[in-house]
Amino acid sequence: MTRRFRATAATRNPVQPVIALGAFALVVLHLGWELMHGGVVAHHFLARSDMPSISNWWGLILVPTLAWFVAGRVLHRESGDEPSDRLIPAAIRRAMPAFFGALVYGGLLAGSFAFGFGVEGYLFLGLFALGLILPIYRGEYILGFVLGMMVTFGGILPTIVAAVAAAFSWLAHLLFRVAMRLFRGSRQG
């Protein structure tokens, strides 16, 4: 019994590797800037020097892998009824507002921390409040947030923060859907 390879929108479209290579280029530029300004930074957990540290070098692996995965997931959502002969597929175009919104939000959070504006605590908690409203568990939100925070924190710590916020958002949305089904079921029966 042989399995035939079935080409999907993600495997036919060159956008996925382009997005991953773009993320790789961003990480290389970021690490090059750090090298020229005193060396690549390592961040300690909870900003305590007695805790283990994570080097920003790990971003070379994590961020392009995350970009590849997210691009594949977004392209997988592409519907077959829209023409795919355009340079940027429809699924990617639909994901762009969420990506850029998360990019700006991550950049604001990172900038607030870096410049000491004093609102980073509110922005951090606001991330969880937004998770109740928006599906920040989707890949485009996570990738945008990670890239927005990468300049200040590298690739690893923003990914951890985004994973925690995404898990919270996913659980909140799941519980809301379950509650709505139960509510609709009790009204009908």
Side-chain angles (χ1 to χ4, degrees), residues 26-43 54-59 149-155:
L26 286 174
V27 174
V28 167
L29 287 172
H30 174 247
L31 291 174
W33 184 85
E34 282 189 349
L35 272 173
M36 298 300 156
H37 291 87
V40 175
V41 178
H43 301 276
I54 298 176
S55 174
N56 283 351
W57 285 110
W58 285 102
M149 291 190 69
M150 188 175 71
V151 173
T152 302
F153 297 105

Side-chain angles (χ1 to χ4, degrees), residues 15 21 25-27 30 33 38 64 95 108 113 130 139 142 147 152 159 163 165:
V15 172
L21 286 172
L26 286 174
V27 174
H30 174 247
W33 184 85
L108 286 173
F113 184 86
L130 282 173
I142 295 171
L147 290 178
T152 302
T159 303

